[in-house]
Amino acid sequence: EKYTQEAVIQPRDITSTDFLGSSLALDGMQAVIGSMHSAAKTRTTWDFETGDLSGWEQTGDAFRYQPTYGDNSKHRAVYEGYGNEASKSSGDPQSSRLVGRYYVGSFEKRPSSLESYQSPDNTFPLGNFQGDEPTGTLTSDPFIILGNKISFLIGGGCNALTVYVELLVDGFPSLRETGKCSERMHKVS
């Protein structure tokens, strides 16, 4: 079968040492092109410290006001756990044990300022929330786990059927974690 060149593909940041095209895989109309010495970094913000969801794909409306600026749950009453009325807010405030400026909390509604990721949008005061009604998913770009483990912080709801973080390896679920019905995040490895 004869092939004809239809386009030249070249990233903006290519260098001669990247070895772009060192490997190639074709699957129908898709091509995966290797660049074994590329210095390119993932565009995904793993700690959300850029104040946005770069590298994440959202569906629905649950993550519309994310990531959350500051320890927002520390400034409002929190739910008393799974099984109570939706969004029942009658418990004492709880710290999320935030590391840095931001975290993703679909209950929350306190995004960064459009002018500066280093400050909150003052339209949304401390403790502001959207509740449990919004739904959706947040999916990262594909990534490589270097080593044999991964860890992250998780808190919030504890219904493993509806509120969870799931790790897919080669498209198959391999880990599912949920909060402990507490705003306090805990480390999962």
Side-chain angles (χ1 to χ4, degrees):
E1 192 170 340
K2 185 176 180 181
Y3 295 95
T4 57
Q5 179 176 328
E6 292 187 21
V8 174
I9 301 172
Q10 185 170 347
R12 289 185 298 252
D13 62 347
I14 191 168
T15 66
S16 61
T17 58
D18 284 348
F19 291 114
L20 179 69
S22 59
S23 60
L24 176 68
L26 297 173
D27 184 12
M29 295 300 292
Q30 292 187 330
V32 177
I33 303 169
S35 182
M36 66 184 191
H37 295 296
S38 174
K41 294 184 178 183
T42 178
R43 69 183 187 110
T44 305
T45 57
W46 300 111
D47 59 8
F48 307 104
E49 291 301 302
T50 56
D52 61 21
L53 297 175
S54 294
W56 296 83
E57 181 182 329
Q58 327 175 34
T59 65
D61 56 356
F63 301 97
R64 181 180 301 153
Y65 299 101
Q66 296 304 308
T68 297
Y69 184 90
D71 197 354
N72 200 51
S73 61
K74 186 176 179 180
H75 301 280
R76 64 168 169 77
V78 300
Y79 64 91
E80 292 182 351
Y82 177 68
N84 291 335
E85 297 172 28
S87 301
K88 183 177 180 183
S89 295
S90 58
D92 292 330
Q94 294 176 4
S95 171
S96 64
R97 296 185 181 158
L98 171 68
V99 176
R101 286 190 182 102
Y102 291 96
Y103 68 101
V104 170
S106 60
F107 190 87
E108 312 298 340
K109 190 175 183 181
R110 190 158 194 256
S112 68
S113 164
L114 295 176
E115 289 79 39
S116 171
Y117 73 93
Q118 295 179 333
S119 59
D121 182 335
N122 290 324
T123 310
F124 305 101
L126 277 169
N128 198 46
F129 61 92
Q130 63 180 355
D132 284 329
E133 291 76 26
T135 60
T137 63
L138 189 62
T139 305
S140 74
D141 285 345
F143 60 94
I144 296 172
I145 300 172
L146 300 174
N148 58 5
K149 72 177 186 174
I150 186 170
S151 64
F152 53 90
L153 297 173
I154 188 167
C158 56
N159 184 336
L161 299 176
T162 59
V163 183
Y164 55 87
V165 172
E166 186 168 61
L167 176 67
L168 303 178
V169 176
D170 295 329
F172 297 99
S174 64
L175 172 70
R176 181 182 281 197
E177 289 290 338
T178 189
K180 294 181 177 179
C181 290
S182 169
E183 300 302 320
R184 292 183 181 99
M185 292 187 276
H186 62 280
K187 187 174 183 175
V188 173
S189 294

